[in-house]
Each structure stands twice: as structure tokens, then as C-alpha cells.
Amino acid sequence: MFKMIDLPYSYDALEPYIDAKTVEIHYSKHHQGYLNNLNKVLEGYEVFVGEKTIEEILSDVENIPEKIKDDVLFHGGGYANHNFYWSLLTPNGGGSPDGKLMDAIVRDFGSYENFKDQMVNVSTGVRGSGWGFLATNSDGKLSIVKTYNHGNPLSQGLTPLLTIDVWEHAYYLNYQNRRKEYVEKIFNILNWDRIEDLYNNSL
Ligand code: MN
């Protein structure tokens, strides 16, 4: 049985960028729902799960039993992506990255501003429901990846460093159809210290 993570801040902590009602429903209904469905799908598959983390399962798609593969990728991806999303946001966020991550951003995107523009445009451009990610390969090369539904770059052999949920439930109460504005505002609450740690640990 996988368990719900604690939200590392109160529902209203991300205001004005993400309103309290959106965080509450997103965490306690949507995120919780993916977890509940994942655990239901995995009933009878305890041997397959063993001690694996959800990230390990998503990294090794070929070994997910065929009968439950689609459901595990959807609900397990939904569970993992939301765990990750909340962990990257903080009321004390914003600014820009530092250190090796900043060096890699300049190397791979030309500048932080170029990276940000691409991250905003790729995330905003997801057709339908999905996620925008910054990810790294095993050589430390960065790329921006969009996924549909609850896809995760782990399933493509990449390590995710940052994600933006662009499902309508992530922003619709406050931003309605203005997805791009929501994506741009997210940069005010990104926890770059944590994202830098993820990058440094992946090298
Ligand atoms: Mn979501």
C-alpha cells in the first residue's frame, strides 16, 4: 500500500499564485484519488510491488504486469507526479537557480530566460491534460519534456527535476482558461534549492 504524503505547507501558503481552495481540492480529492485507485489496482500484486517505490515501478515499465500496466501508469503516475509537484513548491520560493544547475541551464538553453520561456511554452502547449517537466539524462544534459495524462520522464530513462501540472484542476478556479498565466506565476513559488539538490544528486 502506498501512502499519502503530507503537504509541506498549509492550503493557503501558495497564495496569491495558487489559491487555497485549489490546493485543498487538488491535494485532498485529486491526488488522494490517484493514490486510492493505485492501491486498488495493485491489490493481488503485492509480490510485484515488494519494496519498490512508485518511482522505481515507473522507471521499469517493461516489468509492470501487462494486465495492470495502463492503470499503474495512469494512477501511479498521478500519485508520483503530485508527490513531486507539491515538493517543489514553497511560499519562500522564486528567484533563479544557482551552482551546477544554473551552469547546465546556460549550457543547454543559452540563458535562464530562454529556459524559462521554453518551459512556459512547452507546458502551456500541452494539448489536453498533462505535465511539463525539466529533466536530466545520465550525463547531466537537461531537456524540457511534456507528458500526457500522468506520464513521467522516468519511463523514458530521464530523471525529472521540476514539473508543472497543467491539468485544468491545477488552475481553473483562479485562472480559468489562462493556463499560461498560471504557468508563469508558478515560477514565484519554485523551490530552486530543492531542484538544485535533485540535479546535483543525479550527477
Ligand atoms: Mn493535478
Short mmCIF file of all heavy atoms in Angstrom, two decimals, residues 26 30 34 82 85 131 150 165 167 169-170, ligand 1:
data_model
loop_
_atom_site.label_atom_id
_atom_site.label_comp_id
_atom_site.label_asym_id
_atom_site.label_seq_id
_atom_site.Cartn_x
_atom_site.Cartn_y
_atom_site.Cartn_z
N HIS A 26 -7.17 19.96 -4.96
CA HIS A 26 -6.14 19.27 -5.74
C HIS A 26 -5.47 18.17 -4.91
O HIS A 26 -5.28 17.04 -5.36
CB HIS A 26 -5.12 20.31 -6.22
CG HIS A 26 -4.26 19.87 -7.35
ND1 HIS A 26 -3.38 20.71 -7.98
CD2 HIS A 26 -4.12 18.68 -7.98
CE1 HIS A 26 -2.75 20.06 -8.95
NE2 HIS A 26 -3.17 18.81 -8.96
N HIS A 30 -8.12 15.15 -5.78
CA HIS A 30 -7.48 14.60 -6.98
C HIS A 30 -6.29 13.70 -6.62
O HIS A 30 -6.24 12.54 -7.01
CB HIS A 30 -7.02 15.72 -7.91
CG HIS A 30 -8.15 16.49 -8.51
ND1 HIS A 30 -8.86 16.06 -9.61
CD2 HIS A 30 -8.75 17.65 -8.14
CE1 HIS A 30 -9.82 16.92 -9.90
NE2 HIS A 30 -9.77 17.90 -9.02
N TYR A 34 -5.95 9.50 -6.96
CA TYR A 34 -4.97 8.68 -7.70
C TYR A 34 -4.34 7.64 -6.78
O TYR A 34 -4.14 6.49 -7.18
CB TYR A 34 -3.89 9.56 -8.34
CG TYR A 34 -4.45 10.48 -9.39
CD1 TYR A 34 -4.35 11.86 -9.29
CD2 TYR A 34 -5.12 9.96 -10.50
CE1 TYR A 34 -4.90 12.70 -10.25
CE2 TYR A 34 -5.67 10.79 -11.47
CZ TYR A 34 -5.56 12.16 -11.33
OH TYR A 34 -6.10 12.99 -12.28
N HIS A 82 2.12 14.06 -8.49
CA HIS A 82 1.63 15.01 -7.50
C HIS A 82 2.54 15.06 -6.27
O HIS A 82 2.79 16.15 -5.73
CB HIS A 82 0.18 14.69 -7.10
CG HIS A 82 -0.80 15.07 -8.16
ND1 HIS A 82 -1.29 14.18 -9.08
CD2 HIS A 82 -1.35 16.27 -8.47
CE1 HIS A 82 -2.12 14.82 -9.91
NE2 HIS A 82 -2.18 16.08 -9.56
N TYR A 85 5.28 17.33 -7.53
CA TYR A 85 4.81 18.71 -7.74
C TYR A 85 4.75 19.49 -6.43
O TYR A 85 5.34 20.57 -6.31
CB TYR A 85 3.44 18.63 -8.39
CG TYR A 85 2.67 19.90 -8.61
CD1 TYR A 85 3.01 20.82 -9.59
CD2 TYR A 85 1.51 20.17 -7.85
CE1 TYR A 85 2.25 21.96 -9.82
CE2 TYR A 85 0.74 21.31 -8.07
CZ TYR A 85 1.11 22.20 -9.06
OH TYR A 85 0.35 23.33 -9.28
N TRP A 131 1.56 17.29 -18.21
CA TRP A 131 2.57 17.88 -17.34
C TRP A 131 3.74 18.41 -18.17
O TRP A 131 4.11 17.79 -19.18
CB TRP A 131 3.13 16.83 -16.38
CG TRP A 131 2.11 16.22 -15.46
CD1 TRP A 131 1.15 15.29 -15.81
CD2 TRP A 131 1.93 16.48 -14.07
NE1 TRP A 131 0.40 14.97 -14.69
CE2 TRP A 131 0.86 15.67 -13.61
CE3 TRP A 131 2.58 17.31 -13.15
CZ2 TRP A 131 0.42 15.69 -12.29
CZ3 TRP A 131 2.15 17.32 -11.84
CH2 TRP A 131 1.08 16.52 -11.42
N HIS A 150 -0.73 11.23 -17.12
CA HIS A 150 0.20 11.29 -15.99
C HIS A 150 1.53 10.64 -16.32
O HIS A 150 2.16 10.01 -15.46
CB HIS A 150 -0.43 10.68 -14.74
CG HIS A 150 -1.58 11.45 -14.21
ND1 HIS A 150 -1.52 12.81 -13.97
CD2 HIS A 150 -2.85 11.09 -13.92
CE1 HIS A 150 -2.70 13.23 -13.53
NE2 HIS A 150 -3.53 12.22 -13.49
N ASP A 165 2.09 20.95 -13.27
CA ASP A 165 0.83 20.26 -13.56
C ASP A 165 -0.02 21.20 -14.41
O ASP A 165 -0.35 22.31 -13.96
CB ASP A 165 0.13 19.96 -12.22
CG ASP A 165 -1.14 19.12 -12.36
OD1 ASP A 165 -1.66 18.98 -13.49
OD2 ASP A 165 -1.60 18.62 -11.32
N TRP A 167 -3.00 20.09 -15.85
CA TRP A 167 -4.41 19.69 -15.86
C TRP A 167 -5.24 20.90 -15.43
O TRP A 167 -4.82 21.67 -14.57
CB TRP A 167 -4.63 18.53 -14.88
CG TRP A 167 -4.18 17.18 -15.36
CD1 TRP A 167 -2.91 16.82 -15.73
CD2 TRP A 167 -4.99 16.00 -15.50
NE1 TRP A 167 -2.90 15.49 -16.09
CE2 TRP A 167 -4.15 14.97 -15.96
CE3 TRP A 167 -6.35 15.73 -15.27
CZ2 TRP A 167 -4.62 13.68 -16.21
CZ3 TRP A 167 -6.81 14.44 -15.51
CH2 TRP A 167 -5.96 13.44 -15.98
N HIS A 169 -7.58 21.11 -13.43
CA HIS A 169 -7.87 21.14 -11.98
C HIS A 169 -6.78 21.87 -11.20
O HIS A 169 -6.98 22.24 -10.06
CB HIS A 169 -8.13 19.73 -11.43
CG HIS A 169 -6.94 18.80 -11.43
ND1 HIS A 169 -7.00 17.50 -11.88
CD2 HIS A 169 -5.66 18.97 -11.03
CE1 HIS A 169 -5.82 16.92 -11.75
NE2 HIS A 169 -4.99 17.79 -11.24
N ALA A 170 -5.60 22.04 -11.81
CA ALA A 170 -4.48 22.69 -11.11
C ALA A 170 -4.63 24.21 -11.06
O ALA A 170 -3.96 24.87 -10.27
CB ALA A 170 -3.17 22.33 -11.79
MN MN B 1 -3.12 17.50 -10.67
#
